[in-house]
Amino acid sequence: DGGITQSPKYLFRKEGQNVTLSCEQNLNHDAMYWYRQDPGQGLRLIYYSQIVNDFQKGDIAEGYSVSREKKESFPLTVTSAQKNPTAFYLCATGRGGGVKTQYFGPGTRLLVL
Amino acid sequence: AQSVTQPDIHITVSEGASLELRCNYSYGATPYLFWYVQSPGQGLQLLLKYFSGDTLVQGIKGFEAEFKRSQSSFNLRKPSVHWSDAAEYFCAVGSNNAGNMLTFGGGTRLMVKP
């Protein structure tokens, strides 16, 4: 089955803990993105990667980190420095070159205990 | 910087009625425009997009949108709404001059009355 998978669907974080959200794709897309969505709000870009071993900060990168070691995978770590991590996190992918249509995964909801 | 405004946070329509969701963008050159739909707790699904050519764009699920450069708008329409259309709708704009990134509007939540 092709597409974008995000895991887990729900994730609980304790104070001072780092947690990692998984995003995997088999669409062979070059670009991958992480967005944060808060209730009643639009999407805000956290990080993006246009190619393997390269990534750029988005609008709200503080308290987050990413890696892009494989084309298929773009994990997001929410660090303890992110003081308000409760949100819905969406991963997206897009083909290379120019403005791309972005395709979204099902999302991970992060809650703080 | 590019920006997107969706003036209506909530809209309620009766099943079978027509629908128009508004989207206004701010960008100098020809933008790349998108409409996405999101059901509760789900990811976003692409409804339609405009890159160039015919300014009236047809999408999935019976939706269409019209690009009007003079009004900087890209409104989404459907002639007859179904109860299953209840969801949140997001307009997005992208440009080659903005790092090829998409900027999303705040969304419009659609409720459908029986």
Side-chain angles (χ1 to χ4, degrees):
Chain A
D1 191 22
I4 304 164
T5 58
Q6 290 188 242
S7 62
K9 187 172 177 64
Y10 295 96
L11 185 58
F12 298 90
R13 193 191 91 164
K14 296 178 181 178
E15 292 289 335
Q17 185 183 42
N18 292 353
V19 293
T20 297
L21 286 62
S22 170
C23 179
E24 303 279 332
Q25 56 111 350
N26 62 4
L27 300 172
N28 200 34
H29 287 172
D30 289 310
M32 297 187 74
Y33 311 82
W34 274 107
Y35 290 92
R36 170 178 172 143
Q37 186 179 27
D38 293 283
Q41 298 189 28
L43 280 65
R44 292 184 289 169
L45 183 64
I46 305 173
Y47 268 98
Y48 63 99
S49 169
Q50 307 270 30
I51 196 169
V52 174
N53 292 322
D54 186 49
F55 50 82
Q56 307 295 328
K57 292 182 179 181
D59 300 320
I60 56 164
E62 186 175 351
Y64 300 97
S65 65
V66 294
S67 63
R68 185 87 186 275
E69 297 176 1
K70 299 187 300 182
K71 188 175 187 177
E72 300 80 16
S73 178
F74 191 41
L76 173 74
T77 296
V78 183
T79 75
S80 58
Q82 173 50 247
K83 297 306 180 188
N84 184 24
T86 297
F88 192 52
Y89 291 87
L90 288 159
C91 176
T93 71
R95 294 187 182 93
V99 176
K100 315 162 189 45
T101 300
Q102 293 185 16
Y103 300 90
F104 286 81
T108 292
R109 186 165 300 281
L110 176 60
L111 300 166
V112 177
L113 294 177
Chain B
Q2 59 193 24
S3 66
V4 181
T5 301
Q6 294 181 245
D8 304 305
I9 298 175
H10 294 99
I11 283 185
T12 301
V13 299
S14 297
E15 191 168 16
S18 63
L19 171 70
E20 183 170 30
L21 303 182
R22 295 184 291 165
C23 173
N24 295 99
Y25 65 90
S26 172
Y27 179 65
T30 299
Y32 297 78
L33 296 159
F34 305 82
W35 274 101
Y36 288 87
V37 61
Q38 184 182 35
S39 297
Q42 303 295 317
L44 276 67
Q45 180 184 20
L46 179 71
L47 283 175
L48 48 79
K49 61 186 178 183
Y50 172 79
F51 280 16
S52 65
D54 192 345
T55 56
L56 184 61
V57 180
Q58 302 298 319
I60 63 171
K61 304 186 179 188
F63 285 93
E64 66 177 27
E66 187 171 12
F67 170 55
K68 293 186 177 180
R69 184 190 301 276
S70 61
Q71 299 177 20
S72 297
S73 70
F74 189 56
N75 294 349
L76 182 70
R77 300 193 295 247
K78 187 170 185 178
S80 178
V81 169
H82 188 262
W83 64 266
S84 60
D85 293 323
E88 188 145 27
Y89 292 80
F90 292 94
C91 181
V93 63
S95 74
N96 293 321
N97 292 343
N100 303 324
M101 294 299 105
L102 297 188
T103 299
F104 287 82
T108 297
R109 182 166 297 280
L110 173 66
M111 291 174 281
V112 180
K113 293 190 298 184

